PDB file of all heavy atoms in Angstrom:
ATOM      1  N   VAL A 121       2.686  58.907 -11.591  1.00 82.00           N
ATOM      2  CA  VAL A 121       4.075  58.472 -11.517  1.00 82.00           C
ATOM      3  C   VAL A 121       4.582  58.530 -10.076  1.00 82.00           C
ATOM      4  O   VAL A 121       4.448  59.566  -9.413  1.00 82.00           O
ATOM      5  CB  VAL A 121       4.965  59.383 -12.406  1.00 82.00           C
ATOM      6  CG1 VAL A 121       6.427  58.902 -12.343  1.00 82.00           C
ATOM      7  CG2 VAL A 121       4.455  59.332 -13.854  1.00 82.00           C
ATOM      8  N   ILE A 122       5.102  57.419  -9.583  1.00 83.00           N
ATOM      9  CA  ILE A 122       5.688  57.346  -8.262  1.00 83.00           C
ATOM     10  C   ILE A 122       7.057  56.675  -8.357  1.00 83.00           C
ATOM     11  O   ILE A 122       7.212  55.621  -8.975  1.00 83.00           O
ATOM     12  CB  ILE A 122       4.780  56.515  -7.289  1.00 83.00           C
ATOM     13  CG1 ILE A 122       3.398  57.146  -7.190  1.00 83.00           C
ATOM     14  CG2 ILE A 122       5.434  56.490  -5.914  1.00 83.00           C
ATOM     15  CD1 ILE A 122       2.426  56.297  -6.343  1.00 83.00           C
ATOM     16  N   TYR A 123       8.072  57.292  -7.765  1.00 85.00           N
ATOM     17  CA  TYR A 123       9.397  56.705  -7.678  1.00 85.00           C
ATOM     18  C   TYR A 123       9.635  56.063  -6.350  1.00 85.00           C
ATOM     19  O   TYR A 123       9.093  56.498  -5.344  1.00 85.00           O
ATOM     20  CB  TYR A 123      10.480  57.786  -7.936  1.00 85.00           C
ATOM     21  CG  TYR A 123      10.599  58.185  -9.403  1.00 85.00           C
ATOM     22  CD1 TYR A 123       9.863  59.242  -9.932  1.00 85.00           C
ATOM     23  CD2 TYR A 123      11.498  57.525 -10.219  1.00 85.00           C
ATOM     24  CE1 TYR A 123       9.991  59.607 -11.226  1.00 85.00           C
ATOM     25  CE2 TYR A 123      11.651  57.905 -11.563  1.00 85.00           C
ATOM     26  CZ  TYR A 123      10.862  58.928 -12.059  1.00 85.00           C
ATOM     27  OH  TYR A 123      11.026  59.287 -13.347  1.00 85.00           O
ATOM     28  N   TYR A 124      10.471  55.024  -6.362  1.00 87.00           N
ATOM     29  CA  TYR A 124      10.821  54.293  -5.126  1.00 87.00           C
ATOM     30  C   TYR A 124      12.339  54.123  -5.062  1.00 87.00           C
ATOM     31  O   TYR A 124      12.975  53.771  -6.063  1.00 87.00           O
ATOM     32  CB  TYR A 124      10.172  52.910  -5.149  1.00 87.00           C
ATOM     33  CG  TYR A 124       8.686  52.915  -5.469  1.00 87.00           C
ATOM     34  CD1 TYR A 124       8.251  52.797  -6.797  1.00 87.00           C
ATOM     35  CD2 TYR A 124       7.711  53.050  -4.488  1.00 87.00           C
ATOM     36  CE1 TYR A 124       6.905  52.801  -7.121  1.00 87.00           C
ATOM     37  CE2 TYR A 124       6.357  53.055  -4.775  1.00 87.00           C
ATOM     38  CZ  TYR A 124       5.973  52.930  -6.096  1.00 87.00           C
ATOM     39  OH  TYR A 124       4.637  52.960  -6.428  1.00 87.00           O
ATOM     40  N   SER A 125      12.886  54.353  -3.894  1.00 85.00           N
ATOM     41  CA  SER A 125      14.306  54.177  -3.716  1.00 85.00           C
ATOM     42  C   SER A 125      14.660  52.741  -3.420  1.00 85.00           C
ATOM     43  O   SER A 125      13.781  51.918  -3.100  1.00 85.00           O
ATOM     44  CB  SER A 125      14.807  55.081  -2.564  1.00 85.00           C
ATOM     45  OG  SER A 125      14.122  54.740  -1.368  1.00 85.00           O
ATOM     46  N   SER A 126      15.926  52.407  -3.525  1.00 87.00           N
ATOM     47  CA  SER A 126      16.388  51.040  -3.378  1.00 87.00           C
ATOM     48  C   SER A 126      16.011  50.424  -2.040  1.00 87.00           C
ATOM     49  O   SER A 126      15.666  49.237  -1.944  1.00 87.00           O
ATOM     50  CB  SER A 126      17.900  50.990  -3.562  1.00 87.00           C
ATOM     51  OG  SER A 126      18.393  49.675  -3.440  1.00 87.00           O
ATOM     52  N   ASP A 127      16.060  51.236  -0.979  1.00 86.00           N
ATOM     53  CA  ASP A 127      15.782  50.673   0.349  1.00 86.00           C
ATOM     54  C   ASP A 127      14.299  50.360   0.584  1.00 86.00           C
ATOM     55  O   ASP A 127      13.934  49.773   1.602  1.00 86.00           O
ATOM     56  CB  ASP A 127      16.284  51.652   1.435  1.00 86.00           C
ATOM     57  CG  ASP A 127      15.631  53.017   1.367  1.00 86.00           C
ATOM     58  OD1 ASP A 127      14.859  53.268   0.418  1.00 86.00           O
ATOM     59  OD2 ASP A 127      15.880  53.851   2.265  1.00 86.00           O
ATOM     60  N   GLN A 128      13.417  50.730  -0.352  1.00 89.00           N
ATOM     61  CA  GLN A 128      11.996  50.393  -0.238  1.00 89.00           C
ATOM     62  C   GLN A 128      11.663  49.059  -0.920  1.00 89.00           C
ATOM     63  O   GLN A 128      10.542  48.563  -0.743  1.00 89.00           O
ATOM     64  CB  GLN A 128      11.148  51.466  -0.918  1.00 89.00           C
ATOM     65  CG  GLN A 128      11.148  52.836  -0.247  1.00 89.00           C
ATOM     66  CD  GLN A 128      10.284  53.809  -0.997  1.00 89.00           C
ATOM     67  OE1 GLN A 128      10.799  54.660  -1.740  1.00 89.00           O
ATOM     68  NE2 GLN A 128       8.973  53.705  -0.871  1.00 89.00           N
ATOM     69  N   ILE A 129      12.587  48.496  -1.665  1.00 91.00           N
ATOM     70  CA  ILE A 129      12.268  47.439  -2.622  1.00 91.00           C
ATOM     71  C   ILE A 129      12.889  46.102  -2.172  1.00 91.00           C
ATOM     72  O   ILE A 129      14.094  46.030  -1.913  1.00 91.00           O
ATOM     73  CB  ILE A 129      12.745  47.783  -4.036  1.00 91.00           C
ATOM     74  CG1 ILE A 129      12.255  49.180  -4.428  1.00 91.00           C
ATOM     75  CG2 ILE A 129      12.262  46.731  -5.035  1.00 91.00           C
ATOM     76  CD1 ILE A 129      13.008  49.768  -5.595  1.00 91.00           C
ATOM     77  N   GLU A 130      12.084  45.068  -2.151  1.00 91.00           N
ATOM     78  CA  GLU A 130      12.566  43.685  -1.981  1.00 91.00           C
ATOM     79  C   GLU A 130      12.298  42.934  -3.247  1.00 91.00           C
ATOM     80  O   GLU A 130      11.181  42.896  -3.760  1.00 91.00           O
ATOM     81  CB  GLU A 130      11.822  43.000  -0.816  1.00 91.00           C
ATOM     82  CG  GLU A 130      12.147  43.542   0.555  1.00 91.00           C
ATOM     83  CD  GLU A 130      11.391  42.806   1.654  1.00 91.00           C
ATOM     84  OE1 GLU A 130      10.583  41.910   1.292  1.00 91.00           O
ATOM     85  OE2 GLU A 130      11.582  43.112   2.821  1.00 91.00           O
ATOM     86  N   LEU A 131      13.333  42.286  -3.795  1.00 94.00           N
ATOM     87  CA  LEU A 131      13.193  41.423  -4.957  1.00 94.00           C
ATOM     88  C   LEU A 131      13.862  40.084  -4.623  1.00 94.00           C
ATOM     89  O   LEU A 131      15.094  40.032  -4.492  1.00 94.00           O
ATOM     90  CB  LEU A 131      13.832  42.048  -6.201  1.00 94.00           C
ATOM     91  CG  LEU A 131      13.936  41.162  -7.418  1.00 94.00           C
ATOM     92  CD1 LEU A 131      12.554  40.706  -7.892  1.00 94.00           C
ATOM     93  CD2 LEU A 131      14.668  41.870  -8.551  1.00 94.00           C
ATOM     94  N   ASP A 132      13.080  39.036  -4.453  1.00 94.00           N
ATOM     95  CA  ASP A 132      13.572  37.717  -4.087  1.00 94.00           C
ATOM     96  C   ASP A 132      13.220  36.692  -5.189  1.00 94.00           C
ATOM     97  O   ASP A 132      12.070  36.658  -5.645  1.00 94.00           O
ATOM     98  CB  ASP A 132      12.944  37.255  -2.787  1.00 94.00           C
ATOM     99  CG  ASP A 132      13.399  38.089  -1.592  1.00 94.00           C
ATOM    100  OD1 ASP A 132      14.547  38.560  -1.596  1.00 94.00           O
ATOM    101  OD2 ASP A 132      12.585  38.283  -0.666  1.00 94.00           O
ATOM    102  N   PHE A 133      14.241  35.956  -5.581  1.00 95.00           N
ATOM    103  CA  PHE A 133      14.047  34.862  -6.537  1.00 95.00           C
ATOM    104  C   PHE A 133      14.014  33.531  -5.764  1.00 95.00           C
ATOM    105  O   PHE A 133      14.865  33.292  -4.884  1.00 95.00           O
ATOM    106  CB  PHE A 133      15.172  34.842  -7.554  1.00 95.00           C
ATOM    107  CG  PHE A 133      15.179  36.011  -8.456  1.00 95.00           C
ATOM    108  CD1 PHE A 133      15.852  37.186  -8.135  1.00 95.00           C
ATOM    109  CD2 PHE A 133      14.475  35.988  -9.669  1.00 95.00           C
ATOM    110  CE1 PHE A 133      15.882  38.278  -8.982  1.00 95.00           C
ATOM    111  CE2 PHE A 133      14.484  37.081 -10.515  1.00 95.00           C
ATOM    112  CZ  PHE A 133      15.194  38.242 -10.176  1.00 95.00           C
ATOM    113  N   MET A 134      13.072  32.663  -6.091  1.00 94.00           N
ATOM    114  CA  MET A 134      12.909  31.380  -5.427  1.00 94.00           C
ATOM    115  C   MET A 134      13.582  30.278  -6.237  1.00 94.00           C
ATOM    116  O   MET A 134      13.227  30.060  -7.400  1.00 94.00           O
ATOM    117  CB  MET A 134      11.427  31.055  -5.222  1.00 94.00           C
ATOM    118  CG  MET A 134      10.650  32.153  -4.550  1.00 94.00           C
ATOM    119  SD  MET A 134      11.313  32.621  -2.912  1.00 94.00           S
ATOM    120  CE  MET A 134      10.586  34.235  -2.689  1.00 94.00           C
ATOM    121  N   TRP A 135      14.519  29.607  -5.632  1.00 96.00           N
ATOM    122  CA  TRP A 135      15.371  28.664  -6.366  1.00 96.00           C
ATOM    123  C   TRP A 135      14.698  27.332  -6.628  1.00 96.00           C
ATOM    124  O   TRP A 135      14.104  26.731  -5.745  1.00 96.00           O
ATOM    125  CB  TRP A 135      16.649  28.449  -5.565  1.00 96.00           C
ATOM    126  CG  TRP A 135      17.773  27.962  -6.460  1.00 96.00           C
ATOM    127  CD1 TRP A 135      18.126  26.684  -6.751  1.00 96.00           C
ATOM    128  CD2 TRP A 135      18.696  28.817  -7.194  1.00 96.00           C
ATOM    129  NE1 TRP A 135      19.180  26.671  -7.639  1.00 96.00           N
ATOM    130  CE2 TRP A 135      19.545  27.940  -7.889  1.00 96.00           C
ATOM    131  CE3 TRP A 135      18.850  30.179  -7.320  1.00 96.00           C
ATOM    132  CZ2 TRP A 135      20.573  28.423  -8.745  1.00 96.00           C
ATOM    133  CZ3 TRP A 135      19.859  30.651  -8.130  1.00 96.00           C
ATOM    134  CH2 TRP A 135      20.706  29.783  -8.821  1.00 96.00           C
ATOM    135  N   SER A 136      14.781  26.872  -7.877  1.00 95.00           N
ATOM    136  CA  SER A 136      14.288  25.552  -8.241  1.00 95.00           C
ATOM    137  C   SER A 136      15.065  25.094  -9.455  1.00 95.00           C
ATOM    138  O   SER A 136      15.701  25.896 -10.157  1.00 95.00           O
ATOM    139  CB  SER A 136      12.782  25.573  -8.575  1.00 95.00           C
ATOM    140  OG  SER A 136      12.531  26.333  -9.733  1.00 95.00           O
ATOM    141  N   ASP A 137      15.018  23.771  -9.731  1.00 95.00           N
ATOM    142  CA  ASP A 137      15.713  23.277 -10.939  1.00 95.00           C
ATOM    143  C   ASP A 137      15.085  23.826 -12.210  1.00 95.00           C
ATOM    144  O   ASP A 137      15.792  24.012 -13.211  1.00 95.00           O
ATOM    145  CB  ASP A 137      15.637  21.725 -10.945  1.00 95.00           C
ATOM    146  CG  ASP A 137      16.671  21.080 -10.041  1.00 95.00           C
ATOM    147  OD1 ASP A 137      17.446  21.856  -9.439  1.00 95.00           O
ATOM    148  OD2 ASP A 137      16.696  19.861  -9.951  1.00 95.00           O
ATOM    149  N   THR A 138      13.794  24.120 -12.171  1.00 94.00           N
ATOM    150  CA  THR A 138      13.149  24.686 -13.349  1.00 94.00           C
ATOM    151  C   THR A 138      13.697  26.054 -13.700  1.00 94.00           C
ATOM    152  O   THR A 138      13.903  26.355 -14.875  1.00 94.00           O
ATOM    153  CB  THR A 138      11.618  24.770 -13.115  1.00 94.00           C
ATOM    154  OG1 THR A 138      11.084  23.463 -13.059  1.00 94.00           O
ATOM    155  CG2 THR A 138      10.925  25.538 -14.233  1.00 94.00           C
ATOM    156  N   MET A 139      13.944  26.896 -12.671  1.00 95.00           N
ATOM    157  CA  MET A 139      14.362  28.272 -12.934  1.00 95.00           C
ATOM    158  C   MET A 139      15.885  28.462 -12.850  1.00 95.00           C
ATOM    159  O   MET A 139      16.423  29.559 -13.144  1.00 95.00           O
ATOM    160  CB  MET A 139      13.679  29.207 -11.938  1.00 95.00           C
ATOM    161  CG  MET A 139      12.154  29.229 -12.010  1.00 95.00           C
ATOM    162  SD  MET A 139      11.526  29.581 -13.678  1.00 95.00           S
ATOM    163  CE  MET A 139      12.301  31.146 -14.015  1.00 95.00           C
ATOM    164  N   LYS A 140      16.598  27.446 -12.422  1.00 95.00           N
ATOM    165  CA  LYS A 140      18.036  27.578 -12.172  1.00 95.00           C
ATOM    166  C   LYS A 140      18.804  28.168 -13.334  1.00 95.00           C
ATOM    167  O   LYS A 140      19.598  29.123 -13.161  1.00 95.00           O
ATOM    168  CB  LYS A 140      18.593  26.193 -11.832  1.00 95.00           C
ATOM    169  CG  LYS A 140      20.111  26.169 -11.625  1.00 95.00           C
ATOM    170  CD  LYS A 140      20.626  24.776 -11.308  1.00 95.00           C
ATOM    171  CE  LYS A 140      22.157  24.777 -11.179  1.00 95.00           C
ATOM    172  NZ  LYS A 140      22.656  23.412 -10.887  1.00 95.00           N
ATOM    173  N   GLU A 141      18.615  27.650 -14.542  1.00 92.00           N
ATOM    174  CA  GLU A 141      19.403  28.103 -15.696  1.00 92.00           C
ATOM    175  C   GLU A 141      19.162  29.601 -15.978  1.00 92.00           C
ATOM    176  O   GLU A 141      20.098  30.376 -16.232  1.00 92.00           O
ATOM    177  CB  GLU A 141      19.073  27.280 -16.923  1.00 92.00           C
ATOM    178  CG  GLU A 141      19.876  27.659 -18.157  1.00 92.00           C
ATOM    179  CD  GLU A 141      19.574  26.771 -19.342  1.00 92.00           C
ATOM    180  OE1 GLU A 141      18.763  25.841 -19.210  1.00 92.00           O
ATOM    181  OE2 GLU A 141      20.146  27.019 -20.422  1.00 92.00           O
ATOM    182  N   GLN A 142      17.887  30.000 -15.959  1.00 92.00           N
ATOM    183  CA  GLN A 142      17.585  31.424 -16.227  1.00 92.00           C
ATOM    184  C   GLN A 142      18.150  32.306 -15.130  1.00 92.00           C
ATOM    185  O   GLN A 142      18.678  33.382 -15.408  1.00 92.00           O
ATOM    186  CB  GLN A 142      16.074  31.598 -16.316  1.00 92.00           C
ATOM    187  CG  GLN A 142      15.426  30.931 -17.512  1.00 92.00           C
ATOM    188  CD  GLN A 142      13.972  31.226 -17.655  1.00 92.00           C
ATOM    189  OE1 GLN A 142      13.590  32.359 -17.937  1.00 92.00           O
ATOM    190  NE2 GLN A 142      13.138  30.215 -17.485  1.00 92.00           N
ATOM    191  N   PHE A 143      18.036  31.905 -13.869  1.00 93.00           N
ATOM    192  CA  PHE A 143      18.577  32.708 -12.771  1.00 93.00           C
ATOM    193  C   PHE A 143      20.089  32.880 -12.904  1.00 93.00           C
ATOM    194  O   PHE A 143      20.629  33.984 -12.642  1.00 93.00           O
ATOM    195  CB  PHE A 143      18.254  32.047 -11.426  1.00 93.00           C
ATOM    196  CG  PHE A 143      16.803  32.140 -11.034  1.00 93.00           C
ATOM    197  CD1 PHE A 143      16.315  31.430  -9.951  1.00 93.00           C
ATOM    198  CD2 PHE A 143      15.902  32.940 -11.740  1.00 93.00           C
ATOM    199  CE1 PHE A 143      14.977  31.498  -9.558  1.00 93.00           C
ATOM    200  CE2 PHE A 143      14.548  33.001 -11.396  1.00 93.00           C
ATOM    201  CZ  PHE A 143      14.105  32.294 -10.269  1.00 93.00           C
ATOM    202  N   GLU A 144      20.766  31.825 -13.261  1.00 92.00           N
ATOM    203  CA  GLU A 144      22.231  31.886 -13.349  1.00 92.00           C
ATOM    204  C   GLU A 144      22.678  32.711 -14.563  1.00 92.00           C
ATOM    205  O   GLU A 144      23.578  33.580 -14.426  1.00 92.00           O
ATOM    206  CB  GLU A 144      22.799  30.460 -13.421  1.00 92.00           C
ATOM    207  CG  GLU A 144      22.690  29.680 -12.125  1.00 92.00           C
ATOM    208  CD  GLU A 144      23.188  28.270 -12.247  1.00 92.00           C
ATOM    209  OE1 GLU A 144      23.292  27.746 -13.388  1.00 92.00           O
ATOM    210  OE2 GLU A 144      23.487  27.648 -11.211  1.00 92.00           O
ATOM    211  N   GLN A 145      22.112  32.417 -15.715  1.00 88.00           N
ATOM    212  CA  GLN A 145      22.600  33.042 -16.951  1.00 88.00           C
ATOM    213  C   GLN A 145      22.121  34.486 -17.133  1.00 88.00           C
ATOM    214  O   GLN A 145      22.846  35.323 -17.659  1.00 88.00           O
ATOM    215  CB  GLN A 145      22.182  32.206 -18.163  1.00 88.00           C
ATOM    216  CG  GLN A 145      22.827  30.850 -18.228  1.00 88.00           C
ATOM    217  CD  GLN A 145      22.546  30.141 -19.543  1.00 88.00           C
ATOM    218  OE1 GLN A 145      21.943  30.686 -20.449  1.00 88.00           O
ATOM    219  NE2 GLN A 145      23.051  28.910 -19.667  1.00 88.00           N
ATOM    220  N   LEU A 146      20.914  34.757 -16.684  1.00 88.00           N
ATOM    221  CA  LEU A 146      20.324  36.086 -16.955  1.00 88.00           C
ATOM    222  C   LEU A 146      20.500  37.073 -15.789  1.00 88.00           C
ATOM    223  O   LEU A 146      20.637  38.256 -16.018  1.00 88.00           O
ATOM    224  CB  LEU A 146      18.835  35.950 -17.302  1.00 88.00           C
ATOM    225  CG  LEU A 146      18.507  35.054 -18.488  1.00 88.00           C
ATOM    226  CD1 LEU A 146      17.014  34.975 -18.668  1.00 88.00           C
ATOM    227  CD2 LEU A 146      19.176  35.624 -19.752  1.00 88.00           C
ATOM    228  N   PHE A 147      20.476  36.552 -14.574  1.00 90.00           N
ATOM    229  CA  PHE A 147      20.553  37.433 -13.409  1.00 90.00           C
ATOM    230  C   PHE A 147      21.839  37.284 -12.617  1.00 90.00           C
ATOM    231  O   PHE A 147      22.016  37.994 -11.626  1.00 90.00           O
ATOM    232  CB  PHE A 147      19.342  37.177 -12.489  1.00 90.00           C
ATOM    233  CG  PHE A 147      18.034  37.466 -13.142  1.00 90.00           C
ATOM    234  CD1 PHE A 147      17.277  36.465 -13.696  1.00 90.00           C
ATOM    235  CD2 PHE A 147      17.541  38.767 -13.222  1.00 90.00           C
ATOM    236  CE1 PHE A 147      16.037  36.699 -14.293  1.00 90.00           C
ATOM    237  CE2 PHE A 147      16.327  39.031 -13.822  1.00 90.00           C
ATOM    238  CZ  PHE A 147      15.559  38.001 -14.365  1.00 90.00           C
ATOM    239  N   GLY A 148      22.697  36.368 -13.022  1.00 88.00           N
ATOM    240  CA  GLY A 148      23.964  36.209 -12.329  1.00 88.00           C
ATOM    241  C   GLY A 148      23.842  35.685 -10.922  1.00 88.00           C
ATOM    242  O   GLY A 148      24.683  35.959 -10.068  1.00 88.00           O
ATOM    243  N   LEU A 149      22.797  34.905 -10.653  1.00 92.00           N
ATOM    244  CA  LEU A 149      22.555  34.394  -9.311  1.00 92.00           C
ATOM    245  C   LEU A 149      23.238  33.048  -9.116  1.00 92.00           C
ATOM    246  O   LEU A 149      23.488  32.335 -10.077  1.00 92.00           O
ATOM    247  CB  LEU A 149      21.069  34.259  -9.034  1.00 92.00           C
ATOM    248  CG  LEU A 149      20.222  35.522  -9.132  1.00 92.00           C
ATOM    249  CD1 LEU A 149      18.758  35.195  -8.925  1.00 92.00           C
ATOM    250  CD2 LEU A 149      20.691  36.561  -8.087  1.00 92.00           C
ATOM    251  N   THR A 150      23.522  32.691  -7.899  1.00 93.00           N
ATOM    252  CA  THR A 150      24.011  31.382  -7.528  1.00 93.00           C
ATOM    253  C   THR A 150      23.112  30.785  -6.487  1.00 93.00           C
ATOM    254  O   THR A 150      22.463  31.498  -5.705  1.00 93.00           O
ATOM    255  CB  THR A 150      25.455  31.444  -6.984  1.00 93.00           C
ATOM    256  OG1 THR A 150      25.495  32.337  -5.846  1.00 93.00           O
ATOM    257  CG2 THR A 150      26.426  31.943  -8.057  1.00 93.00           C
ATOM    258  N   GLU A 151      23.053  29.451  -6.436  1.00 93.00           N
ATOM    259  CA  GLU A 151      22.139  28.801  -5.479  1.00 93.00           C
ATOM    260  C   GLU A 151      22.568  29.075  -4.053  1.00 93.00           C
ATOM    261  O   GLU A 151      23.731  28.940  -3.685  1.00 93.00           O
ATOM    262  CB  GLU A 151      22.156  27.312  -5.712  1.00 93.00           C
ATOM    263  CG  GLU A 151      21.180  26.565  -4.808  1.00 93.00           C
ATOM    264  CD  GLU A 151      21.070  25.089  -5.129  1.00 93.00           C
ATOM    265  OE1 GLU A 151      21.742  24.629  -6.078  1.00 93.00           O
ATOM    266  OE2 GLU A 151      20.289  24.408  -4.451  1.00 93.00           O
ATOM    267  N   PRO A 152      21.643  29.555  -3.236  1.00 90.00           N
ATOM    268  CA  PRO A 152      21.967  29.848  -1.823  1.00 90.00           C
ATOM    269  C   PRO A 152      22.431  28.573  -1.108  1.00 90.00           C
ATOM    270  O   PRO A 152      21.896  27.493  -1.335  1.00 90.00           O
ATOM    271  CB  PRO A 152      20.652  30.350  -1.257  1.00 90.00           C
ATOM    272  CG  PRO A 152      19.826  30.797  -2.444  1.00 90.00           C
ATOM    273  CD  PRO A 152      20.241  29.867  -3.550  1.00 90.00           C
ATOM    274  N   SER A 153      23.431  28.751  -0.249  1.00 89.00           N
ATOM    275  CA  SER A 153      23.951  27.623   0.521  1.00 89.00           C
ATOM    276  C   SER A 153      24.457  28.110   1.866  1.00 89.00           C
ATOM    277  O   SER A 153      24.603  29.323   2.085  1.00 89.00           O
ATOM    278  CB  SER A 153      25.070  26.905  -0.252  1.00 89.00           C
ATOM    279  OG  SER A 153      26.146  27.800  -0.490  1.00 89.00           O
TER     280      SER A 153
END
């Protein structure tokens, strides 16, 4: 078991029309502009 703090973690979502609906509805993301 290893714990990691927030400052150690990068989570990036890559925007596309295929994933747009899931990103918006499930993760509350908006398209970068």
